[in-house]
Amino acid sequence: MILVTSAAGHTGAIMVNALVKAGYDVVATDINPAVANLPGIKQALVGDLTQLDFQRQLVASADQIVYIPPLFSAEEALIGESLVDLSVAAHLKQFIFISVTHPILTTLLQHTAKRDVEEHLIYQGMTSQLPYTILQPMHYMHNFDPQLVHNTGKYQIFYNVDSKVAYVDPDDVAEVVVKVAGNIGQHDKATYELVGTKAYSPNELVTQYNALTGEHAVTQYVDVETFLASIHAQDLFFRTGFKHLADTYSQWGLDGNANVLHMLLGRQPTTFEDYLKNRLKK
């Protein structure tokens, strides 16, 4: 039995679907009750990862964990470290941590929290021999929604429209998760950076979209305060983390190398153009 946390989110649902299709018995958990609607799962557990008793229930439900951290949680590092400790105590067969590319970047709150969990997992892995694998995905392609761009004629973004960020298809990451879960020994103690594309600016993404569709969409910068107001974000940590994200991407962008993902997939990673084609078919 394999547990997937944050399973009702976009990435979590894709990973659950891939594991179910691969024949795994999946326990899906999220604070969102919609997690119970995921097709093919054996069990849904609804609860708050910040609660120790709920974490104990989760660890007792499975012998492998795919830990996807909650988005912009002030307690993210504590949640992850506690799940690692409980997994050690329960002698779990495997702990797969969905981290982020370049967790050492101190200008990003959600990166530094994952860095702390990675460190804790590595120490625990060395002292307890908990089998683990750390996956470090790049910025997900689903953050560009071609249907929304089609409906509105614009791609609204909260960082500099000329800053370049690399991407990865969440389906490619899910494919790696299935491979790692199916061969614990081969991937034990490994850390894999999962980058799918070279870095593209928002303007370049829209250019690719227009070339494919024949449309005339435009890129539109939206300052981060306006963006946060549009999604009714009130949590202070979430707001601060998002501002750090906007500032970091505007100043430096974010990129990496696709060689590791190519090796793990045994093929070229999904291109942004192919991602668009796949999404526009749906």
Side-chain angles (χ1 to χ4, degrees):
M1 193 77 75
I2 188 163
L3 170 76
V4 180
T5 68
S6 303
H10 192 284
T11 305
I14 289 173
M15 292 185 186
V16 167
N17 182 59
L19 288 164
V20 168
K21 286 185 174 180
Y24 285 90
D25 292 331
V26 177
V27 178
T29 184
D30 202 287
I31 200 168
N32 184 350
V35 71
N37 300 326
L38 292 173
I41 62 174
K42 295 297 182 182
Q43 187 179 11
L45 296 172
V46 179
D48 186 345
L49 286 176
T50 66
Q51 300 302 302
L52 181 59
D53 282 346
F54 184 62
Q55 284 201 2
R56 287 174 173 151
Q57 180 186 0
L58 294 178
V59 172
S61 72
D63 54 12
Q64 292 172 267
I65 288 181
V66 178
Y67 171 53
I68 305 172
L71 182 64
F72 287 119
S73 168
E75 297 174 275
E76 179 180 336
L78 294 174
I79 291 168
E81 290 168 2
S82 176
L83 275 175
V84 170
D85 291 343
L86 291 172
S87 298
V88 169
H91 303 288
L92 258 60
K93 288 167 54 178
Q94 185 182 41
F95 192 102
I96 301 174
F97 177 33
I98 309 300
S99 183
V100 68
T101 304
H102 307 324
I104 61 172
L105 295 179
T106 56
T107 59
L108 293 160
L109 288 184
Q110 80 275 23
H111 284 231
T112 56
K114 293 173 180 65
R115 190 218 71 86
D116 290 346
V117 176
E118 285 194 18
E119 180 183 48
H120 189 73
L121 179 56
I122 292 168
Y123 276 126
Q124 283 286 44
M126 290 188 292
T127 57
S128 71
Q129 294 309 306
L130 170 70
Y132 73 83
T133 306
I134 298 170
L135 302 181
Q136 299 177 328
M138 180 48 79
H139 196 71
Y140 287 114
M141 289 182 186
H142 64 242
N143 289 295
F144 184 100
D145 182 349
Q147 193 59 55
L148 181 61
V149 175
H150 171 73
N151 292 340
T152 63
K154 63 184 74 170
Y155 175 46
Q156 294 185 317
I157 195 66
F158 52 85
Y159 61 89
N160 188 317
V161 296
D162 293 313
S163 291
K164 296 192 175 188
V165 174
Y167 290 84
V168 68
D169 188 336
D171 287 318
D172 284 358
V173 177
E175 187 174 328
V176 172
V177 169
V178 171
K179 288 176 180 285
V180 169
N183 199 330
I184 296 171
Q186 180 181 353
H187 301 288
D188 182 24
K189 309 298 190 296
T191 299
Y192 297 132
E193 183 177 277
L194 306 182
V195 180
T197 72
K198 69 177 187 178
Y200 294 112
S201 70
N203 280 331
E204 290 172 328
L205 298 182
V206 172
T207 296
Q208 289 193 58
Y209 172 86
N210 287 337
L212 186 64
T213 63
E215 297 177 14
H216 302 281
V218 297
T219 313
Q220 183 180 69
Y221 169 74
V222 179
D223 71 87
V224 70
E225 289 287 353
T226 300
F227 178 83
L228 290 169
S230 72
I231 61 173
H232 310 291
Q234 294 295 312
D235 181 83
L236 294 177
F237 187 88
F238 183 98
R239 291 178 62 85
T240 301
F242 223 95
K243 289 176 183 178
H244 284 200
L245 183 68
D247 290 343
T248 298
Y249 281 15
S250 291
Q251 184 168 351
W252 295 288
L254 191 70
D255 62 10
N257 187 288
N259 285 349
V260 171
L261 182 55
H262 184 186
M263 175 195 73
L264 290 167
L265 294 173
R267 59 170 173 82
Q268 289 292 343
T270 301
T271 66
F272 185 71
E273 180 180 357
D274 285 340
Y275 161 78
L276 289 176
K277 289 178 180 177
N278 292 334
R279 286 297 300 272
L280 289 168
K281 288 177 185 175
K282 298 178 181 179

